[in-house]
Coordinates of all heavy atoms in Angstrom, one line a residue:
S96 N -11.5 10.5 70.9 CA -12.6 11.4 70.9 C -13.8 10.5 71.3 O -14.1 9.4 70.8 CB -12.9 11.7 69.4 OG -14.2 12.4 69.3
V97 N -14.4 11.0 72.4 CA -15.6 10.3 73.0 C -16.8 11.1 72.8 O -16.9 12.4 73.2 CB -15.4 10.2 74.5 CG1 -16.7 9.5 75.2 CG2 -14.1 9.4 74.8
Q98 N -17.8 10.6 72.1 CA -18.9 11.3 71.5 C -20.2 10.6 72.1 O -20.4 9.3 71.9 CB -19.1 11.2 70.0 CG -17.9 11.9 69.3 CD -17.8 11.7 67.9 OE1 -18.4 10.6 67.3 NE2 -17.3 12.6 67.1
V99 N -20.9 11.3 72.9 CA -22.1 10.8 73.6 C -23.3 11.5 72.7 O -23.5 12.6 72.7 CB -22.3 11.2 75.1 CG1 -23.6 10.6 75.7 CG2 -21.1 10.8 75.8
W100 N -24.1 10.6 72.2 CA -25.2 11.0 71.3 C -26.1 12.0 71.9 O -26.7 11.7 73.0 CB -26.0 9.8 70.8 CG -26.9 10.1 69.6 CD1 -26.7 10.6 68.4 CD2 -28.4 9.8 69.8 NE1 -27.9 10.8 67.7 CE2 -28.9 10.3 68.5 CE3 -29.2 9.3 70.7 CZ2 -30.2 10.1 68.2 CZ3 -30.5 9.3 70.4 CH2 -31.1 9.7 69.2
E101 N -26.3 13.1 71.2 CA -27.2 14.2 71.7 C -26.8 14.7 73.2 O -27.7 15.3 73.8 CB -28.8 13.8 71.8 CG -29.1 13.4 70.4 CD -30.6 13.2 70.4 OE1 -31.2 12.9 71.4 OE2 -31.3 13.3 69.3
Q102 N -25.6 14.6 73.5 CA -25.1 15.1 74.8 C -23.7 15.7 74.5 O -22.8 15.1 74.9 CB -25.0 14.0 75.8 CG -26.4 13.3 76.1 CD -27.2 14.4 76.9 OE1 -26.8 15.3 77.6 NE2 -28.6 14.2 76.8
E103 N -23.7 17.0 74.0 CA -22.5 17.6 73.7 C -21.6 17.8 74.9 O -20.4 17.8 74.9 CB -22.8 18.9 73.0 CG -21.5 19.6 72.5 CD -21.8 20.9 71.8 OE1 -23.0 21.2 71.4 OE2 -20.9 21.7 71.6
K104 N -22.3 18.1 76.1 CA -21.6 18.4 77.3 C -20.9 17.2 77.9 O -19.9 17.3 78.8 CB -22.5 19.1 78.4 CG -23.0 20.5 78.0 CD -23.8 21.1 79.1 CE -24.2 22.6 78.7 NZ -25.0 23.1 79.8
M105 N -21.3 16.1 77.5 CA -20.7 14.8 78.0 C -19.6 14.3 77.0 O -18.9 13.4 77.4 CB -21.7 13.7 78.2 CG -22.8 14.0 79.4 SD -23.9 12.6 79.6 CE -24.7 13.1 81.0
S106 N -19.6 14.9 75.9 CA -18.6 14.4 74.9 C -17.2 15.2 75.1 O -17.2 16.2 75.6 CB -19.1 14.7 73.5 OG -20.3 14.2 73.2
T107 N -16.2 14.6 74.7 CA -14.9 15.2 75.0 C -13.8 14.5 74.1 O -14.0 13.5 73.5 CB -14.5 15.0 76.5 OG1 -13.3 15.7 76.7 CG2 -14.2 13.5 76.8
K108 N -12.7 15.3 74.1 CA -11.4 14.7 73.4 C -10.5 14.7 74.5 O -10.3 15.6 75.3 CB -11.0 15.5 72.3 CG -11.8 15.3 71.1 CD -11.1 16.0 69.8 CE -11.9 15.8 68.6 NZ -11.2 16.3 67.4
A109 N -9.7 13.6 74.6 CA -8.7 13.5 75.7 C -7.5 12.6 75.3 O -7.8 11.5 74.6 CB -9.4 13.0 77.0
R110 N -6.4 12.8 75.7 CA -5.2 12.0 75.5 C -5.0 11.1 76.7 O -5.1 11.5 77.8 CB -3.9 12.9 75.2 CG -2.8 12.1 74.7 CD -1.7 13.0 74.1 NE -2.1 13.9 73.1 CZ -2.1 13.6 71.8 NH1 -1.8 12.4 71.4 NH2 -2.5 14.6 71.0
V111 N -4.7 9.8 76.4 CA -4.6 8.8 77.4 C -3.3 9.2 78.2 O -2.2 9.2 77.8 CB -4.4 7.4 76.9 CG1 -4.3 6.4 78.0 CG2 -5.7 7.1 75.9
R112 N -3.5 9.4 79.6 CA -2.4 9.6 80.4 C -1.4 8.5 80.8 O -1.7 7.4 80.5 CB -2.9 10.3 81.7 CG -3.9 11.5 81.5 CD -4.2 12.1 82.8 NE -4.7 11.3 83.8 CZ -5.9 11.2 84.2 NH1 -6.8 11.9 83.7 NH2 -6.3 10.4 85.2
T113 N -0.4 8.7 81.4 CA 0.5 7.6 81.8 C 0.0 6.7 82.9 O 0.4 5.5 82.9 CB 1.8 8.2 82.4 OG1 1.5 9.1 83.5 CG2 2.6 9.0 81.3
D114 N -1.2 7.1 83.5 CA -1.8 6.2 84.4 C -2.9 5.3 83.7 O -3.6 4.5 84.3 CB -2.5 6.9 85.6 CG -3.5 7.9 85.2 OD1 -3.8 8.0 83.9 OD2 -4.1 8.6 86.0
G115 N -3.0 5.5 82.4 CA -3.9 4.7 81.6 C -5.3 5.1 81.6 O -6.2 4.5 81.1
K116 N -5.5 6.5 82.1 CA -6.9 7.0 82.2 C -7.1 8.2 81.3 O -6.2 8.8 80.9 CB -7.2 7.3 83.7 CG -7.1 6.1 84.6 CD -7.2 6.6 86.0 CE -7.2 5.3 87.0 NZ -7.4 5.8 88.4
I117 N -8.4 8.5 81.1 CA -8.8 9.9 80.5 C -9.9 10.3 81.4 O -10.5 9.7 82.3 CB -9.3 9.7 79.0 CG1 -10.4 8.8 79.0 CG2 -8.2 9.2 78.2 CD1 -11.2 8.9 77.6
S118 N -10.1 11.7 81.4 CA -11.1 12.3 82.2 C -12.5 12.5 81.3 O -12.2 13.0 80.1 CB -10.7 13.7 82.7 OG -9.6 13.5 83.6
I119 N -13.6 12.0 81.8 CA -14.9 12.1 81.2 C -15.8 13.0 82.0 O -15.8 12.8 83.2 CB -15.5 10.7 80.9 CG1 -14.5 9.8 80.1 CG2 -16.9 10.8 80.2 CD1 -14.4 10.1 78.7
P120 N -16.5 13.9 81.4 CA -17.5 14.7 82.1 C -18.5 13.8 82.9 O -19.0 12.9 82.3 CB -18.2 15.5 81.0 CG -17.2 15.7 80.0 CD -16.4 14.4 80.0
F121 N -18.8 14.1 84.2 CA -19.7 13.4 85.0 C -19.1 12.1 85.5 O -19.4 11.7 86.6 CB -21.0 13.1 84.4 CG -21.9 14.3 83.9 CD1 -21.7 14.7 82.6 CD2 -22.7 14.8 84.8 CE1 -22.4 15.9 82.3 CE2 -23.5 15.9 84.4 CZ -23.3 16.4 83.2
L122 N -18.1 11.5 84.8 CA -17.6 10.2 85.3 C -16.1 10.4 85.9 O -15.7 9.4 86.4 CB -17.6 9.2 84.1 CG -19.0 8.9 83.4 CD1 -18.7 7.9 82.4 CD2 -19.9 8.3 84.5
Y123 N -15.5 11.5 85.5 CA -14.1 11.8 86.0 C -13.1 10.9 85.4 O -13.2 10.6 84.1 CB -14.1 11.8 87.6 CG -15.1 12.8 88.2 CD1 -16.3 12.3 88.8 CD2 -14.8 14.2 88.2 CE1 -17.1 13.2 89.4 CE2 -15.8 14.9 88.7 CZ -16.8 14.5 89.2 OH -17.8 15.4 89.9
D124 N -12.2 10.2 86.2 CA -11.2 9.5 85.4 C -11.7 8.0 85.1 O -12.3 7.4 86.1 CB -10.0 9.3 86.5 CG -9.3 10.6 86.6 OD1 -9.5 11.5 85.7 OD2 -8.5 10.7 87.6
V125 N -11.4 7.6 83.8 CA -11.8 6.3 83.4 C -10.7 5.5 82.8 O -9.9 6.1 82.0 CB -13.0 6.5 82.3 CG1 -13.3 5.1 81.8 CG2 -14.2 7.2 82.9
V126 N -10.5 4.3 83.1 CA -9.5 3.4 82.6 C -9.7 3.0 81.2 O -10.8 2.4 80.9 CB -9.1 2.3 83.5 CG1 -8.0 1.4 82.9 CG2 -8.8 2.8 84.9
V127 N -8.8 3.4 80.3 CA -9.0 3.0 78.9 C -7.9 2.2 78.3 O -8.1 1.6 77.2 CB -9.4 4.3 78.0 CG1 -10.6 5.0 78.5 CG2 -8.0 5.2 78.1
V128 N -6.7 2.2 78.9 CA -5.6 1.6 78.3 C -5.7 0.0 78.3 O -6.5 -0.6 79.1 CB -4.3 1.9 79.2 CG1 -4.3 1.1 80.5 CG2 -3.1 1.6 78.3
N129 N -5.3 -0.6 77.2 CA -5.3 -2.0 76.9 C -6.8 -2.5 76.6 O -7.1 -3.6 76.7 CB -4.8 -2.9 78.1 CG -3.2 -2.7 78.2 OD1 -2.6 -2.4 77.3 ND2 -2.8 -2.7 79.5
K130 N -7.6 -1.5 76.2 CA -8.9 -1.8 75.7 C -9.2 -1.4 74.3 O -8.5 -0.5 73.9 CB -10.0 -1.2 76.7 CG -9.9 -1.7 78.1 CD -10.8 -0.9 79.0 CE -10.8 -1.2 80.4 NZ -11.7 -0.4 81.3
T131 N -10.0 -2.0 73.6 CA -10.5 -1.4 72.2 C -11.4 -0.3 72.4 O -12.1 -0.1 73.4 CB -11.1 -2.5 71.4 OG1 -12.3 -2.9 72.0 CG2 -10.2 -3.9 71.4
P132 N -11.5 0.6 71.4 CA -12.4 1.7 71.4 C -13.9 1.2 71.6 O -14.7 1.8 72.3 CB -12.3 2.3 70.0 CG -10.9 2.1 69.6 CD -10.6 0.6 70.2
G133 N -14.3 0.1 71.0 CA -15.5 -0.5 71.2 C -15.8 -1.0 72.7 O -17.0 -0.8 73.2
D134 N -14.8 -1.5 73.3 CA -14.9 -1.9 74.8 C -15.1 -0.7 75.6 O -16.0 -0.7 76.5 CB -13.6 -2.6 75.2 CG -13.4 -4.0 74.6 OD1 -14.5 -4.6 74.2 OD2 -12.3 -4.4 74.4
V135 N -14.4 0.3 75.3 CA -14.5 1.6 76.1 C -15.9 2.1 76.0 O -16.6 2.7 76.9 CB -13.4 2.6 75.8 CG1 -13.7 3.9 76.5 CG2 -12.1 2.1 76.1
A136 N -16.4 2.2 74.7 CA -17.7 2.8 74.4 C -18.8 2.0 75.2 O -19.7 2.6 75.8 CB -18.0 2.7 73.0
R137 N -18.8 0.7 75.2 CA -19.7 -0.1 75.9 C -19.7 0.0 77.4 O -20.7 0.3 78.1 CB -19.6 -1.6 75.6 CG -20.1 -2.0 74.2 CD -19.9 -3.4 73.9 NE -18.6 -3.9 73.9 CZ -18.0 -4.0 72.7 NH1 -18.5 -3.5 71.6 NH2 -16.7 -4.5 72.6
E138 N -18.4 0.2 77.9 CA -18.4 0.5 79.4 C -18.9 1.9 79.8 O -19.5 2.1 80.9 CB -16.9 0.3 79.7 CG -16.3 -1.1 79.7 CD -14.9 -1.2 80.0 OE1 -14.3 -0.1 80.4 OE2 -14.3 -2.3 79.9

């Protein structure tokens, strides 16, 4: 669950695909595998 503060359209829920990525509004595919949730949030 990716929550962008005060930006509902940018927030999303996504399951990590076999390529290690999820799709984020405006950013498209983002690599998240082998990272902590905090690392992904900062990136």
